[in-house]
Amino acid sequence: MEIFHELNHNPNLSLALGYFDGVHIGHQAVIKNAVDFAKKNNCNSAVITFSDHPFCYFKGVCPKYILTKKDRENKIKELGIDFLYEIDFANIANLSADEYLKNILIEYFSPLSISTGWNHNFGKNKSGNIEFLKSNTKIYNYKYFALPAEKLENKIISSTEIRNYLASGDINSANQMLGYKFSINGKITKGNQIGRTIGFKTANIDYPNELITLPYGVYSVNTNFGKGIANFGTRPTINGEKPLIEVHILNFDKDIYGQNINIEFNKMIRQEQKFKSLNALKEQIKKDIDCIN
């Protein structure tokens, strides 16, 4: 997959439009539809999206994301897209729906097809929608696909719902809507090494600032080094201050400082709490590990 941050002439594409924060099951359906059309019609596929969420432009502050930018790119790549365009929203924010369709999508990409979600809006004041795209198919000679809403237990799958689940610690529901496990990754750094003094060595990483913040607590996780238990929080028992993720990897005793770790969250076990002693913390960790399986 090639990634572009500027527009270029790349005609006869099958396009998928949207921001795709989280690349959840609904987003996957839109992107897969564009990929499938491209394969059936011997053309290339592309996602047209933005480097930052439009919310950043309108509100002056970015929302907390479900995926880092790099992870979003990787998820889109996994779906088989040929080209990813991450353009600056400010460059098109004041275009009308007609101007965006004609001067951007048609002018640069001459699309054979366009795929969007059921509630897709674009253009100044959200003047463009799925009806607008349908009405222009014959004028500009493209096929249009508005993918229906994907649901989980009668709830429409959306990035907003997923953020709400993650923020409340309902990891299972978030994962079901995502179609994969919420994860973070980073370089392992040395902490104060108190964990090893009570028999639970940990791999520590900083929590990515741009991601939705999980509740402080203890989680069942999978890592690229094995299954584990993670604590996210300020470590009140040792009077910690900076939020940190500490992962104890089960049945693992290798030195992995400086390496990257990917942490997939399975479920929240309990909220973070302060214990009277390290020994009390040690006993609780044993109980937490029993909750993993």
Side-chain angles (χ1 to χ4, degrees), residues 16 51 122 178 206 221 228 273:
S51 53
F122 61 98
L178 286 169
D206 293 326
V221 300
Q273 61 189 98

Side-chain angles (χ1 to χ4, degrees), residues 3-4 22-23 28 39-40 60 143 147 178 228 251 262 267:
I3 300 176
F4 300 102
V23 195
Q28 292 170 31
K39 290 178 178 177
K40 291 176 182 177
K143 292 186 178 296
L147 278 295
L178 286 169
N251 305 311
N262 187 66
K267 66 178 180 179

Side-chain angles (χ1 to χ4, degrees), residues 55-68:
F55 190 90
C56 305
Y57 175 84
F58 291 116
K59 302 296 183 180
V61 61
C62 289
K64 290 289 187 176
Y65 295 119
I66 298 167
L67 289 172
T68 64

Side-chain angles (χ1 to χ4, degrees), residues 4-21:
F4 300 102
H5 300 288
E6 300 287 344
L7 294 169
N8 55 39
H9 289 280
N10 193 355
N12 302 319
L13 296 181
S14 174
L15 301 181
L17 309 181
Y19 184 71
F20 303 122
D21 178 28

Side-chain angles (χ1 to χ4, degrees), residues 178-193:
L178 286 169
Y180 60 88
K181 292 181 178 180
F182 175 74
S183 65
I184 66 169
N185 55 76
K187 183 174 288 188
I188 299 169
T189 60
K190 279 196 175 184
N192 50 28
Q193 300 187 317

Side-chain angles (χ1 to χ4, degrees), residues 182-251:
F182 175 74
S183 65
I184 66 169
N185 55 76
K187 183 174 288 188
I188 299 169
T189 60
K190 279 196 175 184
N192 50 28
Q193 300 187 317
I194 289 177
R196 67 178 59 220
T197 68
I198 58 174
F200 296 102
K201 289 177 62 176
T202 60
N204 304 335
I205 68 169
D206 293 326
Y207 197 94
N209 288 328
E210 68 266 42
L211 292 189
I212 184 76
T213 303
L214 296 178
Y216 288 171
V218 176
Y219 295 85
S220 166
V221 300
N222 298 330
T223 79
N224 47 315
F225 298 105
K227 185 180 291 187
I229 190 165
N231 184 85
F232 172 51
T234 58
R235 298 152 294 146
T237 302
I238 61 168
N239 298 315
E241 295 179 357
K242 179 183 177 182
L244 188 72
I245 294 184
E246 301 175 298
V247 183
H248 172 65
I249 304 166
L250 304 185
N251 305 311

Side-chain angles (χ1 to χ4, degrees), residues 34-91:
V35 171
D36 289 344
F37 182 92
K39 290 178 178 177
K40 291 176 182 177
N41 292 274
N42 196 31
C43 66
N44 287 321
S45 59
V47 163
I48 312 299
T49 188
F50 308 110
S51 53
D52 291 303
H53 199 287
F55 190 90
C56 305
Y57 175 84
F58 291 116
K59 302 296 183 180
V61 61
C62 289
K64 290 289 187 176
Y65 295 119
I66 298 167
L67 289 172
T68 64
K69 187 175 294 185
K70 183 175 182 180
D71 286 343
R72 182 181 68 148
E73 292 171 351
N74 287 336
K75 289 292 182 187
I76 292 172
K77 180 180 178 180
E78 289 171 5
L79 295 171
I81 284 288
D82 296 301
F83 305 109
L84 173 61
Y85 286 84
E86 295 178 324
I87 60 179
D88 186 346
F89 182 77
N91 292 336

